[in-house]
């Protein structure tokens, strides 16, 4: 029976069987099936159970959902019987809603199906009404789509769109029962896309829930999938009280896969979820800088000084291209724990100082955001006394605390208004232009919710409502305010201009240092492409590599990758952000990058396409940005190797032709080569240096406002001969604008002048802060007297000046004799100085943690500095950023503050170059490890007391390792300095790349090292505790070990209490250590990689006390890797029962074999949990254990130390993957002492035939 | 050399001049003196060592005592020996003199801390014939805490620094004084040698002061210096220093001991130490 009613029907609710149809919408109520349809789709309901039976694409006649009719119940366990107890239809403007009541087990569940005229979209809402009270809280509500698949199609595939790594699964490869969830839970739109190319039909299903967080899960079935959207709602059932949840939105799509994604994204418009439009252009153009006027997080917000001091830095931000400044909280109280929202922190200055800072920023074209803290103030604010109802409660009714503060109920209208009033107050008082909103996603459960709210609505719903209140109140005062929500999820974009891209910034990018760039970049491109489609159209996300809540990006990625990723953040859609002084070492690059971003509309407001342009180099990511007729093609080299790329742009994809220009390259760089194929494709040939990026524009498009490169003001003088003389006792070598002076009394390099600039001086050489000879006074070469200084014979190496002398402790005790040599050679007429020292101990040194330090000053008038390391290059203006020149210890173990670079932050053991550019444009380059021994550490700072210059400190011995020198034994040290080099960066400064070794090669990609030695490949990270990312036979073969760490999670450190008061195990682990030191040793027959540090809590922020040190060394042999693992608890614990182990991740394996006490056992890897344990069974005389996959590939661990472990075992998970545990401690009583515990073993990759 | 007589005594004449310590008592103080060192214990200072001097009066260390400000009596609440008045008890035997004081830890205003309960303590200083002062201390709670973490240490001040040293598990360390306020050498960061644990300070006048064999029951998780950045430091021999909680049992005494050894130079000290 099918009936129609006209458009003018005024009936909004009609009983069953009184069938309405509006426009093309029809309703049919049958005994078996009830359907609602328009010309685009038909929804079928089981008339008996009320379950969703089918969704059909009417133009093609193909069903995209064909369910069995059993009704997956939305709550708890499946009840025995579910019955349809009513169906109604309701008319809305342009739409019809069919409401289906299902009854079961004390509940009525009403599912609303809303369809619109002619639209192939469906909105499915759920309301639950209990028929009786309950005293048991319920959690989790499900909306299920059963039997999803394009009917009759043989090529159907599906994807959970936010998955990392991105993947699509063909229905031909479905494994019934396998489940795939969304990777980022509440942060995404929970999109599941099903599509058939042959049918050109798809179904996009997503969840728009504005009350609680949600999630998606796919369960694979035979020939179809089940999609389940879960809403994380917690509530107490009350008879007759209806609980409503968000909307499941579905679109039947036509066209190809990407077209389906585009249609799916439009679903957000059905629920009006679009970002604020009035400030959209303003937000698009934003380039953010985040800082606290007190100082950096590293210093505990103390190393800048307050409003006035920070205001002085604003011109630097303007130069950088920053146009929005987010000031971390400046309210009275600890930074994120305000005591008074209406007062400024007096440590930062006065309100007038604050206002002056904002005014100065405005003068410079920088908008200023405050930091809104809706989670609540500290207890001493008195808020709990004034407004107890605003404060959340625990289950027992007591006050709930969060982040050390009173936890205020985001969902309480009173608190929302208070936040709105507070937000606008500072807009009025100091002229703020908006806020970054802390913890903007709401908070944990409030067990005494306001009004009819659910306890769980203090989360997502409350967070969004606070944003609404802040925006509405501020917009009454100032129209163009910006809101940046510290939250991720589409719902927050209704009121915030931007949300955090946590999925990208804290998760997806963090996989970069684990994977080979050639593997990673294609996945990243696909994921970035997908990400656009699970966000509302026009959504703007904040892109950052670090902030005050994270470790510094340079520690994580290394300098080169950081540079490349900063370019990525500027070239893709979203808002790039720089965190306080992150620009150190990057500033000139960022200046150019952000000038481009600001001045090219396609870059800040254009659509992005990550897949259309292909590059023959997989480590290069491309993105095509389009706005109208303007296009920019970005290319980012995420590898440490130069990439000669060929980019192919399909015909029609580019709006411009006839030449491209790389706007990120210097004008002097060769232009990319352009050609067009017969088929009309554009081909661009481009070479990208390690970690460099390109922004290709039409050759005709001149970007305004790009900074120009500094000019060389004088040609480098050249010389053909050198003269020597003595001047006042000093020895002088001169020629062609160069003058080298060696001190006559001590033989120290007094000065080197070149082209009129004092380009190098040695200020001191001797014991550093830790004495080597343990004397009463420091031993220093500069205080030596009586040296003999002579000019040697000219040789092929150059003209040497040699000095000899003795150094004593000032009390007449000679510690060592020294010989220094300074050899000047001319290369193309420009000087090169080779400096060498030989220190021969007269007094022996026995097991002393002593240091030996040389301090050099480069040109005080230098305008720029640069450092080239194995992990990439840093380059900056000579701008001292920190007000103090003193080293201090901050958030991390390593000192921070005055040094702009320190060697120990990167892999050591490889050459390093430091450079300064004089005002005349010429570079001086100091080369370390260029044939000489490398210092243990080195650093660059820009200030020393009152003096400014690039100061280089070479710690030949850093005092961290014991030194032994016999009497008569000699230390040999040295380096080379080149003068008068031209160019934007001196040639050869870049160190990243691939090194050929005797049996293979080594490649460093930022913080990741790969070594291939014949049949053995290792990839490990400096960041993350020397984690093994892969062990394999070769870099392209499947890993047989994937992931490793050393950790303890019980028995040593006490459990953790989470910010919301839960007690959880404290995972203290090496793979969250951001300060891992790494060293490469290529001196032996096999390459050796060493790493070390301290175990960290799981987010890497703190090192639990007492510390636990670890060291791990991998000797990569031709057929096996020697692993030496050491841990040292800095504590004495007797009879401790604890867990402490190294783990190795194992890909899916099918068998394992162990050399057990009772003989060699081979078993199938079946079941889950611990498979075999040495603790019970015991190893045999020669312990080993191995595992193999179905192809016979696997690995063996062997070595006598295994027998000394409390336990060694294999653990298998449900996915078939495993973990090998090598446990120093596994519950048996043991004494912990501050001594190194050592585990040495051999890790041997096994082939199928071994 | 600012104090030639003392240094001569310390340097070379010990064997000749060594003699049993002398004891001087007043109502407020007890002084023990041998040919090398002189210590003064004050009754109104909880019986803690008020001054450690060379025999000829050079101030080496002062302001010793026990204190806690975290974990036992509430966050930020100072409870210690400083404000306590006691009656030191002196004993002598076979060339050694010992002064021992007992009391209850008190807040800054001198009131015995009562919540969660009283904490009895003792401090004992023993001087023999050589340049070594043995310090023992103990604390006996009248209350029980299953897990206590916080801060509880034996402390004292050291002026006039030229360097800090330590015999660590990895080697001998002699480092410059810090130029900034904060903790410097810490055994929790860089453990002391298990066989021969000692650490200390080198003074501007060359005298070296070592804290040897610091031990405790429970063990001392951290022995460290806190420097003021201007040439002075405090030393801490800590039973509690955050981190791993310890059980505190009523009536069970926590013990600590250390030898303070003084030498005219670091070089000479190393000769005296293993």
């Amino acid at each position: 029976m099918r009936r129609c009613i006209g458009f003018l029907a005024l009936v909004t609710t009609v009983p069953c069987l009184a069938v309405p149809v509006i426009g093309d919408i029809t309703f049919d109520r049958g005994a078996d099936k009830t359907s609602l349809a328009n010309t685009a789709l038909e929804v079928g309901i089981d008339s008996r159970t009320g379950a969703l039976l089918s969704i059909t694409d009417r133009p093609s006649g193909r069903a995209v959902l064909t369910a069995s009719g059993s009704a997956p119940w939305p709550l708890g366990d499946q009840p025995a019987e579910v019955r349809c107890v009513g169906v109604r239809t309701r008319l809305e403007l342009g739409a019809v809603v069919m409401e289906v009541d299902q009854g079961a087990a004390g509940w009525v569940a009403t599912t609303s199906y809303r369809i619109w005229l002619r639209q192939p979209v469906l909105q499915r809402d759920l309301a639950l009404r209990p028929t009786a009270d309950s005293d048991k809280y319920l959690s989790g509500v499900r909306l299920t789509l059963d039997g999803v698949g394009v009917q009759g199609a043989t090529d159907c595939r599906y994807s959970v769109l936010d998955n990392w790594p991105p993947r699509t699964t063909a229905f031909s490869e479905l494994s019934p029962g396998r489940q795939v969830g969304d990777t980022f839970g509440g942060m995404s739109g929970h999109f599941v896309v099903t599509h058939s190319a042959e049918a050109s039909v798809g179904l996009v299903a997503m969840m728009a829930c504005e009350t609680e967080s949600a999630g998606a899960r796919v369960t694979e079935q035979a020939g179809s999938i089940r999609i389940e959207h879960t809403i994380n709602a917690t509530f107490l059932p009350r008879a007759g009280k209806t609980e409503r949840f968000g909307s499941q939105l579905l679109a039947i799509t036509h066209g190809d896969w990407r077209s389906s994604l585009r249609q799916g994204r439009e679903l957000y418009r059905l629920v009006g979820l679009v970002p604020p439009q009035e400030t959209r252009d303003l937000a698009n153009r934003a380039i953010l800088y985040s800082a606290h006027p007190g100082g950096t997080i590293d210093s505990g917000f103390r190393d800048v000084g307050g409003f006035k001091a920070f205001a002085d830095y604003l011109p630097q931000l303007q130069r950088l291209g920053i146009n929005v400044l987010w000031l971390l909280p400046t309210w009275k109280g600890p930074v994120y724990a305000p005591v008074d929202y209406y007062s400024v922190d007096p440590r930062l200055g006065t309100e007038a100082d604050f206002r002056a800072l904002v005014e100065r920023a405005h003068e410079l074209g920088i908008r200023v955001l405050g930091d809104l803290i809706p989670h609540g103030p500290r207890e001493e604010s008195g808020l709990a006394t004034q407004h107890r109802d605003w404060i959340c409660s625990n289950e027992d009714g007591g006050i709930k605390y969060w982040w050390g503060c009173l936890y205020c109920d985001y969902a309480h209208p009173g608190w929302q208004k208070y936040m709105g009033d507070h937000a606008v107050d500072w807009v009025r008082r100091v002229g703020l232009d908006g806020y970054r909103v802390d913890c903007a996603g709401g908070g944990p459960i409030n067990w005494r919710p306001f009004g009819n709210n659910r306890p769980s609505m203090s989360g997502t719903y409350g967070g969004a409502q606070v944003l609404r209140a802040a925006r509405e109140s501020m917009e009454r005062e100032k129209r163009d305010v910006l809101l940046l929500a510290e939250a991720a999820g589409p719902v927050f974009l209704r009121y915030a201009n931007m949300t955090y891209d946590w999925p990208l910034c804290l998760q997806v990018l963090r996989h970069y240092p684990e994977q080979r760039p050639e593997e990673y970049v294609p996945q990243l491109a696909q994921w970035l492409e997908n990400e656009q489609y699970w966000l509302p159209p026009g959504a703007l996300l904040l892109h950052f590599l670090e902030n005050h809540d994270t470790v510094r990006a340079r520690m994580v990625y290394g300098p080169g990758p950081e540079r490349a990723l900063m370019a990525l953040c500027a070239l893709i859609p979203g808002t790039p952000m720089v965190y306080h002084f992150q620009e150190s070492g990057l500033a000139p690059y960022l200046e150019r990058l952000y000038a481009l971003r600001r001045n090219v509309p396609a870059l800040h407001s254009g659509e992005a396409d990550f897949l259309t342009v292909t590059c023959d180099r997989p480590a290069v990511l491309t993105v095509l940005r389009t706005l109208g007729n303007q296009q920019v093609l970005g290319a980012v080299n995420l590898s440490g190797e130069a990439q000669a790329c060929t980019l192919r742009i399909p015909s029609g994809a580019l709006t411009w032709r006839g030449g491209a220009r790389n706007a990120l390259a210097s004008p002097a760089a060769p232009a990319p080569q352009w050609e067009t194929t017969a088929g009309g494709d554009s081909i661009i040939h481009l070479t990208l240096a390690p970690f460099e990026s390109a922004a290709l524009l039409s050759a005709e498009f001149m970007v305004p406002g790009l900074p120009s490169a500094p000019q060389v003001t004088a040609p480098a003088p050249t010389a053909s001969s050198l003269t020597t003389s003595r001047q006042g006792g000093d020895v002088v070598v001169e020629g062609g604008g160069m003058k080298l002076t060696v001190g006559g009394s001590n033989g120290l390099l007094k000065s080197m002048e070149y082209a009129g600039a004092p380009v190098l001086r040695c200020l001191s050489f001797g014991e550093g802060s830790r004495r080597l000879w343990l004397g009463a006074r420091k031993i220093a070469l500069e205080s030596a007297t009586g040296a003999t200084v002579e000019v040697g014979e000219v040789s092929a190496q150059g003209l040497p000046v040699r000095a000899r002398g003795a150094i004593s402790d000032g009390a007449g005790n000679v510690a060592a004799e020294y010989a220094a040599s300074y050899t000047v050679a001319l290369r193309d007429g420009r000087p090169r100085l080779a400096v060498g020292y030989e220190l021969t101990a007269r007094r022996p040194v026995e097991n002393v943690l002593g240091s030996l330090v040389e301090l050099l000053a480069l040109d005080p008038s230098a305008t720029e500095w640069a450092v080239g390391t194995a992990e990439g290059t840093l380059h900056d203006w000579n701008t001292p950023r920190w007000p103090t020149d003193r080293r201090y210890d901050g958030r991390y173990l390593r000192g921070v503050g005055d040094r702009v670079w320190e060697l120990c932050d990167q892999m050591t053991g490889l050459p390093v170059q430091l450079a300064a550019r004089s005002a005349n444009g010429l570079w001086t380059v100091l080369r370390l490890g260029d044939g000489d021994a490398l210092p243990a550490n080195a650093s660059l700072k820009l200030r020393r007391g009152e003096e400014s210059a690039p100061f280089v400190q070479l710690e030949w011995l850093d005092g961290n390792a014991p030194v032994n020198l016999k009497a008569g034994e000699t230390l040999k040290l040295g380096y080379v300095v080149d003068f008068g080099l031209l160019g934007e960066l001196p040639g050869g400064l870049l160190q990243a790349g691939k090194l050929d070794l005797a049996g293979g090669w080594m490649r460093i990609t930022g913080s990741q090292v790969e070594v291939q030695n014949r049949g053995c490949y290792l990839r490990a990270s400096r960041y993350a505790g020397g984690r093994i990312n892969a062990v394999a036979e070769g870099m392209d073969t499947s890993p047989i070990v994937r992931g490793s760490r050393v950790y303890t999670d019980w028995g040593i450190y006490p459990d953790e209490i989470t910010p919301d008061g839960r007690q959880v195990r404290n995972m203290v682990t090496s793979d969250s250590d951001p300060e891992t030191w790494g060293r490469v040793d290529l001196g032996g027959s096999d390459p050796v990689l060493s790493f070390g540090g301290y175990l960290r809590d799981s987010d890497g922020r703190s090192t639990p006390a007492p510390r636990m040190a670890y060291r791990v060394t991998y000797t990569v042999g031709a057929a096996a890797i020697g692993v030496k693992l050491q841990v040292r608890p800095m504590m004495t614990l007797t009879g401790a029962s604890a867990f402490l182990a190294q783990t190795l991740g194992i890909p899916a394996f099918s068998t394992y074999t162990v050399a057990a006490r009772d003989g060699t056992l081979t078993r199938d890897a079946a079941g889950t949990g611990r498979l075999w344990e040495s603790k019970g069974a015991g190893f045999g005389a020669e312990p080993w254990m191995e595992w193999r996959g179905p192809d016979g590939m696997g690995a063996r661990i062997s070595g006598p130390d295994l027998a000394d472990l409390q336990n060694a075992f294999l653990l298998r998970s449900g996915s078939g993957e495993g973990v090998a545990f090598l446990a120093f401690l596994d519950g048996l009583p043991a004494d912990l002492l501050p001594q190194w515990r050592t585990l040495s073993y051999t890790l041997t990759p096994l082939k199928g035939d071994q | 050399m600012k104090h030639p007589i003392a240094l001569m005594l310390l340097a070379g004449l010990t064997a000749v001049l060594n003699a049993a310590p002398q004891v001087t008592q007043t109502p407020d103080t007890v002084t023990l003196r041998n040919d090398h060192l002189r210590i003064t214990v004050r009754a109104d200072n909880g019986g803690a060592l008020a001054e450690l001097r060379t025999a000829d009066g050079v101030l080496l260390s002062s302001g010793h005592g026990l204190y806690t400000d975290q974990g036992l009596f509430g966050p930020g609440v100072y409870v210690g020996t400083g404000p306590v008045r006691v009656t030191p008890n002196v004993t002598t035997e076979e060339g050694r003199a010992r002064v021992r004081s007992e009391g209850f830890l008190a807040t800054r205003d001198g009131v015995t801390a009562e919540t969660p309960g009283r904490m009895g303590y003792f401090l004992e200083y023993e001087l023999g014939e050589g340049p070594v002062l043995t310090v023992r201390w103990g604390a006996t709670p009248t209350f029980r805490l299953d897990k206590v973490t916080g801060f509880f240490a034996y402390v004292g001040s050291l002026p006039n620094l030229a360097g800090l040293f330590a015999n660590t598990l990895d080697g001998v360390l002699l480092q410059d004084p810090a130029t900034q306020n904060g903790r410097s050498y810490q055994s929790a960061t860089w453990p002391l040698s298990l066989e021969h644990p000692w650490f200390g300070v080198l003074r501007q006048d060359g005298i070296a002061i070592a804290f040897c064999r610091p031990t405790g029951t429970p063990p001392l998780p951290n022995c460290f210096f806190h420097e003021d950045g201007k040439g002075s430091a405090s030393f801490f021999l800590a039973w509690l220093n955050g981190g791993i909680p310890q059980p505190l049992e009523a009536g069970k005494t926590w013990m600590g001991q250390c030898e303070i050894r003084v030498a005219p130079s670091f070089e000479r000290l190393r000769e005296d130490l293993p």
Side-chain angles (χ1 to χ4, degrees), chain A residues 412-427:
Chain A
H412 194 294
W415 180 243
Q416 292 161 11
K417 182 174 184 309
Y418 186 88
M419 279 290 100
D421 291 348
H422 158 55
V424 73
D425 181 54
W426 290 102
V427 172

Side-chain angles (χ1 to χ4, degrees), chain A residues 769-771 774-775 778 847-849 886-888 959-960 962 1052 1054 1094 1105-1107 1128 1130-1133 1234-1235, chain B residues 162-163 168-176 179-180 188-191 194-195 202 219 221 241 243-245 266 270:
Chain A
S769 63
R770 291 179 179 161
R771 274 166 240 183
L774 301 177
K778 268 193 206 178
N847 214 32
V848 174
L849 299 163
R886 293 158 67 181
R887 182 178 178 132
Y888 56 82
N960 289 319
I1052 297 177
Y1094 296 93
R1107 293 178 189 169
R1128 180 158 82 176
M1130 306 294 202
M1131 65 187 86
T1132 302
L1133 274 182
Q1235 288 177 307
Chain B
T168 75
L169 211 57
D170 297 325
V172 179
L173 179 76
L174 170 58
Q175 67 185 30
D176 290 349
T179 55
Q180 287 155 275
T189 306
W190 213 326
L194 296 178
E195 294 79 20
L202 178 64
N241 181 45
I244 297 172
F266 183 58
R270 290 196 67 202

